[in-house]
Amino acid sequence: MKAIGIDIGTTSICGVIIDTASGKVERSITRNSEAFISECQPFEKIQSVEKIMNTADTILAELMSEDVSVIGVTGQMHGIVYIDKDGNACSHLYTWQDGRGDLPYKGTTYAKYIGGSTGFGCVTDFYNCENGVRPENAVAFCTIHDYFVMRLCGRKTPLIHTSDAASFGCFDIVNMRFTNGLDLDVTADFAIAGEYRGIPVSVAIGDNQASVFSCIKEGDLLLNFGTGSQISAICDKVIIGENIETRPYFGGKYLCVGAALCGGRAYSLLKEFYREILEYVGDFDEKQVYAIMDKMLEKHSSSSMTADTRFAGTRADSSITGKIIGITTENFHPSDLTYAVLCGMTDELYGMFEGKDIKYTSLVGSGNGIRKNPALVKIVQERFGMKMKIPSHLEEAAVGAAMFGLVTNGALSVDDASQLIKYN
C-alpha cells in the first residue's frame, strides 16, 4: 500500500507518494505555486488561494493510484485564510511573512499589544478587525492546508490540529485552548478529517512538526536550514526561554523550537551581494555564484571575523539588525566573510538552546542549506561537537505528512513510523 503526503509551502507545493512498508519515496512532485500577490501594501505578504489550490489539486491528481491508503497534508504555519459559512475561502492567504503586526498601535505594535508575533494568525486577525478589513462574510479562519483538507473532504468547517492552532498565537498549549476566546474546532489527536474518493484524509498538521516527524525520534536534535532555519527537539514539558518556543507535538509530547527569521536566507543574501559585484564585471553565469562561494570555502576552516546574521530581526524584536565585526587588515576577504556568515547562521541556532534543559544524544540535519553546503555541515558539527546524520529523503515535510497519515489510519504505530526514517 501507499501513502500520499502534500506540503503546501510558501513558494512551492510538494507531493510525495511513499511505500507503507519501507517508507521509500516512490515519486515526488514539486511545483512553484506562483501565488504571491504584488499589488498590495508594502507590509503585506499575501497569496492567491485559488492558485495554491489549483497547484495542490494538480499534484494530488498526478499522485493518485488505486493502492493509496491515506492522504496526509501539511503546510506553512502561522498564516490564515478566512472562510465563510459554506466553507469557502473569502480572502487571500495572509502568510507567516505578513508584517502588519509590526505596525504601530496605541504606543506599541499590534503584535505586542496582544502579546503575539507578527505573521501569527491571531495578530493578523486582530489588525484586520481593528482596521475593518476582515471580510464581512467570514465566520472563521484556518491555515491554507486546513482549507485544502476541507475542500478534499467536503467540510464546511475546519478541524484544526493543535500544531497549527498554536501557530496562530494566543493559545494555551498545556490546556489546549485559545486564550482570546477564539472558537475553533481543535484536536490534539491523530485524527481523520474525512475522505477523498473513499480514501481517508488525516487532519492537516504544521510543517515544522511534519518535518520533525520524518527526521528524528525522541533524543535527537534537528537543525533545518531553508529560507528560515530552526532548531527542534522533542520534549516532555514546556520549556521557556528567549527566542525559543514550545509547540504541541504528537502523542502528548511537546516540540521545543528556536526559529531564526533569516536563517538560510542570510547565505542567499550574501550570494546576491556577490552577484551584484559580478554584474559590474560583465557577462557571467548567475548559476555559478554559489559555486564560487563553495570554492572560497574549500580551504577555509576558520576566521577571526564574526557575523550576526539576524538580518531580519527576531520574532520577539524586529528592530534587531545584523552585524559584521572583527574586520582587520588580515581577514578582510570574501572567503572570511562567507565563512563568518555560515558561522553566524549556526551560532544563532546554537545560542537558542544553550543553557536550556534540553538533552540530546544525536544530531540530525535537514533542508537544502545542509544538503547543498558541506562547509555548513562541518561548521555545525564542530559547533555542536558531534557528527550529523542527514535523512535520505529530501521532502521532509511532505514525507512527515504521509507518515502522520499512516499512524492516523492505523497502519503504523508512532514507533513503527520512526523506524521508516533512513539516513545517508
Side-chain angles (χ1 to χ4, degrees):
M1 298 298 287
K2 306 291 187 290
I4 289 176
I6 301 291
D7 172 27
I8 301 177
T10 309
T11 57
S12 62
I13 299 174
C14 175
V16 300
I17 185 163
I18 69 171
D19 179 74
T20 303
S22 67
K24 180 181 178 182
V25 177
E26 298 194 339
R27 190 181 179 195
S28 172
I29 303 170
T30 300
R31 295 204 176 98
N32 193 316
S33 62
E34 299 180 349
F36 271 106
I37 296 169
S38 57
E39 297 81 13
C40 58
Q41 297 293 326
F43 60 81
E44 290 187 304
K45 290 292 186 294
I46 55 178
Q47 293 182 326
S48 164
V49 173
E50 182 180 6
K51 286 185 176 181
I52 294 170
M53 293 299 105
N54 287 342
T55 305
D57 286 341
T58 300
I59 291 173
L60 178 59
E62 293 181 29
L63 292 173
M64 288 291 291
S65 64
E66 292 182 359
D67 55 352
V68 172
S69 63
V70 70
I71 299 169
V73 180
T74 185
Q76 51 176 296
M77 301 161 64
H78 308 300
I80 58 171
V81 56
Y82 289 102
I83 53 176
D84 64 22
K85 62 181 179 59
D86 296 316
N88 298 314
C90 57
S91 74
H92 295 309
L93 167 65
Y94 300 86
T95 75
W96 62 276
Q97 297 172 318
D98 192 85
R100 69 195 62 218
D102 283 333
L103 296 175
Y105 181 78
K106 294 187 176 180
T108 179
T109 66
Y110 286 90
K112 291 180 180 179
Y113 187 82
I114 64 170
S117 299
T118 192
F120 283 32
C122 285
V123 172
T124 299
D125 183 55
F126 176 65
Y127 171 94
N128 290 347
C129 290
E130 290 296 292
N131 290 274
V133 294
R134 193 183 204 263
E136 292 183 2
N137 56 338
V139 297
F141 61 71
C142 60
T143 68
I144 190 65
H145 37 297
D146 288 322
Y147 182 62
F148 183 60
V149 168
M150 286 176 61
R151 290 172 68 256
L152 291 181
C153 302
R155 296 179 62 101
K156 291 188 177 182
T157 58
L159 175 63
I160 300 176
H161 192 267
T162 48
S163 58
D164 278 320
S167 80
F168 296 148
C170 301
F171 190 80
D172 180 348
I173 65 171
V174 175
N175 298 302
M176 297 299 176
R177 63 180 181 83
F178 287 100
T179 58
N180 62 346
L182 189 62
D183 184 19
L184 294 173
D185 190 4
V186 175
T187 180
D189 300 329
F190 288 89
I192 295 293
E195 292 186 351
Y196 174 69
R197 298 183 181 178
I199 300 171
V201 179
S202 62
V203 61
I205 56 176
D207 56 358
N208 178 215
Q209 287 86 344
S211 295
V212 170
F213 197 55
S214 79
C215 290
I216 67 171
K217 56 185 180 297
E218 203 167 351
D220 296 337
L221 185 70
L222 176 65
L223 269 67
N224 176 277
F225 287 91
T227 303
S229 64
Q230 300 86 31
I231 182 170
S232 307
I234 303 166
C235 51
D236 294 317
K237 60 183 179 181
V238 174
I239 296 176
I240 299 172
E242 186 177 1
N243 292 322
I244 65 172
E245 177 186 357
T246 303
R247 299 173 176 174
Y249 192 56
F250 312 134
K253 302 288 185 178
Y254 297 101
L255 191 62
C256 187
V257 181
L261 292 183
C262 211
R265 186 180 168 211
Y267 200 63
S268 65
L269 286 171
L270 184 60
K271 175 251 185 183
E272 286 301 302
F273 175 76
Y274 291 144
R275 182 191 62 77
E276 288 182 25
I277 294 173
L278 289 170
E279 281 184 345
Y280 289 100
V281 177
D283 293 337
F284 70 98
D285 185 353
E286 185 174 339
K287 296 179 181 178
Q288 293 301 308
V289 180
Y290 277 129
I292 293 170
M293 295 167 72
D294 290 341
K295 192 172 183 178
M296 291 179 189
L297 296 165
E298 283 178 1
K299 296 181 180 180
H300 212 93
S301 58
S302 66
S303 177
S304 56
M305 183 188 297
T306 60
D308 180 342
T309 54
R310 294 178 295 177
F311 302 139
T314 67
R315 286 282 185 198
D317 189 351
S318 62
S319 68
I320 290 176
T321 61
K323 301 179 182 69
I324 299 169
I325 58 177
I327 301 173
T328 68
T329 55
E330 287 76 28
N331 68 14
F332 194 28
H333 303 291
S335 56
D336 283 84
L337 177 59
T338 304
Y339 187 85
V341 165
L342 291 180
C343 289
M345 290 160 49
T346 303
D347 289 343
E348 182 176 5
L349 293 186
Y350 183 86
M352 291 176 178
F353 277 17
E354 189 176 18
K356 308 298 188 301
D357 185 21
I358 300 171
K359 298 177 175 61
Y360 54 93
T361 56
S362 61
L363 183 66
V364 180
S366 65
N368 285 337
I370 288 292
R371 297 182 187 279
K372 295 182 178 182
N373 198 324
L376 178 59
V377 173
K378 183 175 181 294
I379 289 169
V380 168
Q381 290 181 153
E382 290 175 350
R383 192 71 175 93
F384 285 83
M386 59 180 66
K387 292 285 290 182
M388 175 183 285
K389 301 184 293 183
I390 300 176
S392 56
H393 58 274
L394 302 177
E395 311 82 358
E396 295 94 353
V399 171
M403 290 170 56
F404 183 88
L406 289 171
V407 176
T408 297
N409 77 345
L412 297 175
S413 67
V414 173
D415 288 339
D416 290 338
S418 70
Q419 297 305 310
L420 296 180
I421 306 171
K422 303 295 189 297
Y423 302 101
N424 292 331

